[in-house]
């Protein structure tokens, strides 16, 4: 009897099963890439978002390449969430938008990351050190550990870009936001980046020991070269968030902080991430220089003559941790849904 059943099952498996319908993923145009989006498909596929959802837009909005870009807008008093409009890079670039599964990098492995960011011409620099985090890579905590400030952050602080690196050599990080080290390691001037696209390329080997390294280029010009630890001592490596985290607008911020603006708008385009088999050219935005005023374009990079990093302690206040909280998101969505339902019912 069991033999007949097994035979029947085998027949079904061989004949009845549908042909292997593996969706052909669009080929990655450049070598060594893991994830690529220029937002040309019109939605946020491959990404999910934290708090406010960014929009995919086209002309007349600025676009770095192709016909679309991602618009991250935030209003301190009018947006549903007052401090964050950003996406997390997901584990598959073809996943439907909102699939909450981050692309987690590996500690000890090498990555190339490229993207472009547009700062509108009416950008209002905020008060010194009430920075905008415009791109971040955040550690993936071990079980029992807290989410904390990102291990890599690109921020805009008054009239400067600011690149922050934090690392923690302790396997078990204590609660709170203390790191082994937490430094602003480069402060290139914002300069002509206002009203223009700025291309960024990051080359990193994640490590919490001396085998780590980090290189950063802005519009083809190397602005950072750093050897040494650059992440947390975790089982899994960091993940990537693109968009705006305006931490000084969190509701628990000190009331006496003087804010010079209530809204922020940035555009993003040409995001790519590749592994050790990628290269500068594989992740660099566009087909060449961005158009606009900010383009001091150097030929990309034989990374030989790095500028000496200017080390300085990262100022307080340190941004509060950037949680990656699917449970919170679900809860807050449920709450919003419930509130909407209640409003509908109560007229
Ligand atoms: Ca595009
Ligand atoms: Ca850990």
């Amino acid at each position: 009897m069991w033999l007949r059943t097994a035979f029947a099952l085998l027949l079904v498996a061989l004949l009845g099963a549908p042909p292997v319908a593996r969706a052909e993923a669009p080929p990655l145009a450049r070598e060594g890439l893991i994830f690529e989006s220029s937002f040309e498909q019109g939605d946020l596929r491959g990404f999910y978002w934290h708090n406010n959802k960014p929009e995919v837009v086209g002309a007349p909005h600025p676009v770095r390449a192709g016909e679309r870009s991602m618009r991250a807008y935030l209003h301190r008093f009018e947006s549903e969430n007052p401090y964050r409009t950003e996406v997390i890079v997901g584990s598959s670039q073809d996943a439907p938008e909102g699939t909450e599964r981050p692309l987690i990098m590996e500690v000890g492995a090498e990555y190339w990351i490229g993207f472009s960011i547009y700062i509108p011409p009416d950008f209002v620099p905020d008060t010194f050190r009430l920075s905008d985090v415009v791109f971040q890579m955040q550690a993936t905590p071990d079980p029992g550990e807290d989410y904390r400030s990102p291990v890599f952050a690109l921020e805009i602080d008054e009239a400067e870009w600011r690149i922050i690196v934090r690392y923690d050599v302790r396997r078990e990080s204590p609660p709170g936001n203390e790191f082994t080290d937490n430094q602003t390691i480069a402060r290139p001037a914002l300069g002509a980046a206002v009203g223009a696209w700025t291309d960024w390329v990051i080359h990193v080997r994640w490590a919490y020991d001396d085998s780590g390294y980090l290189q950063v280029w802005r519009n083809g010009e190397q602005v950072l070269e750093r050897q040494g630890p650059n992440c947390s001592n975790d089982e899994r490596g960091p993940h990537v968030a693109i968009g705006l985290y305006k931490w000084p607008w969190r509701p628990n911020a000190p009331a006496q902080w003087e804010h010079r603006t209530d809204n922020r708008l940035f555009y993003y385009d040409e995001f790519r991430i590749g592994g050790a088999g990628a290269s500068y050219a594989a992740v660099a935005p566009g087909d060449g220089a961005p158009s606009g005023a900010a383009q001091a374009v150097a030929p990309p990079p034989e990374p030989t003559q790095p500028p000496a990093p200017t080390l300085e302690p990262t100022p307080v206040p340190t941004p509060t941790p950037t949680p990656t909280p699917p449970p919170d998101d679900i809860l807050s969505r449920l709450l919003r849904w419930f509130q909407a339902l209640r409003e509908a019912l109560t007229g």
Side-chain angles (χ1 to χ4, degrees):
M1 184 65 186
W2 68 268
L3 195 64
R4 223 162 52 191
T5 310
F7 182 69
L9 283 174
L10 185 67
L11 260 187
V12 167
L14 287 175
L15 303 173
V20 180
R22 180 179 294 174
E24 288 291 327
L28 294 168
R30 304 184 191 189
E31 201 156 341
L33 295 188
I34 300 167
F35 187 106
E36 165 173 46
S37 179
S38 190
F39 306 100
E40 295 304 299
Q41 290 167 305
D43 61 19
L44 288 172
R45 72 189 59 186
F47 300 97
Y48 64 98
W49 45 94
H50 272 169
N51 305 120
N52 308 310
K53 180 186 178 185
E55 282 180 277
V56 177
V57 295
H61 297 275
V63 166
R64 170 66 180 87
E67 296 180 348
R68 293 190 175 91
S69 62
M70 185 185 90
R71 176 181 188 269
Y73 175 75
L74 184 65
H75 193 291
R76 193 177 163 208
F77 302 112
E78 294 170 6
S79 294
E80 187 170 350
N81 173 283
Y83 57 85
R84 197 197 315 264
T85 304
E86 73 179 5
V87 289
I88 311 300
V89 178
S91 59
S92 161
Q93 65 175 24
D94 302 312
E97 62 170 24
T99 305
E100 295 196 4
R101 226 172 140 193
L103 190 165
I104 293 179
M105 294 176 276
E106 287 175 34
V107 176
E110 176 188 348
Y111 297 90
W112 290 89
I113 297 147
F115 63 96
S116 195
I117 177 172
Y118 180 90
I119 306 176
D122 58 356
F123 175 81
V124 177
D126 212 338
T127 324
F128 185 49
R129 289 180 178 173
L130 297 191
S131 62
D132 298 62
V133 183
V134 296
F135 173 90
Q136 53 175 311
M137 295 193 274
Q138 183 161 78
T140 307
D142 292 321
E145 290 178 328
D146 292 339
Y147 276 95
R148 302 189 293 165
S149 292
V151 291
F152 177 100
L154 174 66
E155 306 190 357
I156 297 174
D157 181 8
E158 209 169 30
E160 290 175 318
W161 297 101
R162 187 161 112 190
I163 298 170
I164 296 176
V165 170
R166 303 180 176 92
Y167 66 87
D168 197 340
V169 300
R170 298 165 296 188
R171 183 63 182 196
E172 205 171 313
S173 296
N177 212 23
E178 290 298 314
F179 291 81
T180 306
D181 202 3
N182 173 356
Q183 285 186 328
T184 296
I185 52 175
R187 303 184 77 101
L190 210 52
V194 176
W197 286 97
T198 301
D199 292 346
W200 293 93
V201 170
I202 299 162
H203 183 207
V204 62
R205 180 183 192 274
W206 296 114
Y208 45 83
D209 60 22
D210 286 339
S211 67
Y213 61 77
L214 177 63
Q215 298 171 307
V216 180
W217 291 265
R218 180 191 52 165
N219 290 335
E221 177 192 357
Q222 190 169 2
V223 294
L224 173 61
E225 166 93 20
R226 184 181 189 276
Q227 297 283 332
N230 55 25
C231 69
S232 290
N233 182 341
D234 296 322
E235 179 65 30
R236 303 192 296 168
H239 53 277
V240 184
I242 314 164
L244 174 60
Y245 172 40
K246 184 65 173 164
W247 60 273
W249 291 354
R250 289 182 76 107
N252 57 358
Q256 73 272 21
W257 284 359
E258 180 203 347
H259 305 272
R260 293 196 184 134
T261 179
D262 292 330
N263 66 88
R264 273 287 186 249
L265 173 61
F266 298 108
Y267 292 88
Y268 295 80
D269 205 354
E270 291 283 277
F271 177 78
R272 293 182 179 87
I273 176 167
S279 61
Y280 183 100
V283 301
D287 296 322
S291 57
Q295 313 347 322
V297 175
E302 279 306 311
T304 41
Q305 290 188 325
T310 39
L311 293 182
E312 63 175 273
T314 297
V316 285
T318 307
T320 43
T322 324
T324 312
D328 277 1
D329 281 1
I330 291 163
L331 272 181
S332 58
R333 259 183 243 161
L334 270 175
L335 190 62
R336 285 201 297 277
W337 177 84
F338 179 72
Q339 281 165 345
L341 182 68
R342 193 174 58 183
E343 276 163 21
L345 288 175
T346 57

